Amino acid sequence: MNHAARRIGRSLALVLPVVLVLSGTLAVTYVPWASAPADAPVLASSAQKASADTASTPAGPATRHTPEHQLRDRLIAELQEQDPGVALNSLQRAITRKPSLARHCASIARALGKAAVHKYGAQRAQRFSRPVCDTSFAYGVAQLS
């Protein structure tokens, strides 16, 4: 009896971790990590704003309707309404929510740095610097100083 219990215990010790890892991996693949309905109204309002902007820009709608341009325009407007710190926090949340925008993070942060210099001046704009997208915001500020 003792020998049979030991064999069952050894078998479970080998099989149970494998089953737990596989079931955990499968569970992670089925979880909807990004919720499209919550993002849709934000993108729709940004698209309306971008379409209003494209009517007056010679670049045309092809370059202004990309998600990174919409995000940049929205964040620059947020910077103008509030401050660069709020815009940088929103950039970090947007990158976390939609990782495909991460490759555009540096250029968006530089644009925010330049917009901050226009609004606050170089010395005051530098105070809002955060470690979002490395030091791209600070680089944008330094470009106009």
Side-chain angles (χ1 to χ4, degrees):
M1 181 73 174
N2 197 11
H3 182 65
R6 211 176 262 168
R7 286 181 67 168
I8 291 172
R10 284 184 188 158
S11 297
L12 283 175
L14 290 174
V15 174
L16 192 60
V18 173
V19 170
L20 289 174
V21 167
L22 287 176
S23 64
T25 304
L26 292 174
V28 167
T29 60
Y30 287 112
V31 172
W33 292 102
S35 59
D39 295 337
V42 172
L43 292 177
S45 65
S46 296
Q48 290 170 354
K49 180 180 178 185
S51 65
D53 290 345
T54 56
S56 62
T57 58
T63 59
R64 303 293 289 184
H65 285 293
T66 59
E68 62 270 12
H69 284 97
Q70 292 175 358
L71 176 63
R72 186 194 66 213
D73 293 343
R74 182 173 57 87
L75 291 175
I76 288 176
E78 188 172 308
L79 182 142
Q80 296 299 328
E81 292 173 7
Q82 296 176 15
D83 66 54
V86 174
L88 287 170
N89 289 340
S90 296
L91 174 61
Q92 184 66 47
R93 282 192 304 272
I95 298 299
T96 303
R97 214 178 9 214
K98 195 169 183 181
S100 63
L101 292 171
R103 62 184 153 143
H104 304 287
C105 185
S107 64
I108 294 171
R110 274 193 307 272
L112 289 173
K114 291 176 183 179
V117 169
H118 287 297
K119 183 175 181 184
Y120 294 104
Q123 190 172 10
R124 188 167 174 216
Q126 191 64 38
R127 293 181 190 158
F128 292 101
S129 186
R130 304 255 169 82
V132 177
C133 307
D134 296 325
T135 57
S136 298
F137 178 83
Y139 180 70
V141 170
Q143 280 183 324
L144 294 182
S145 327

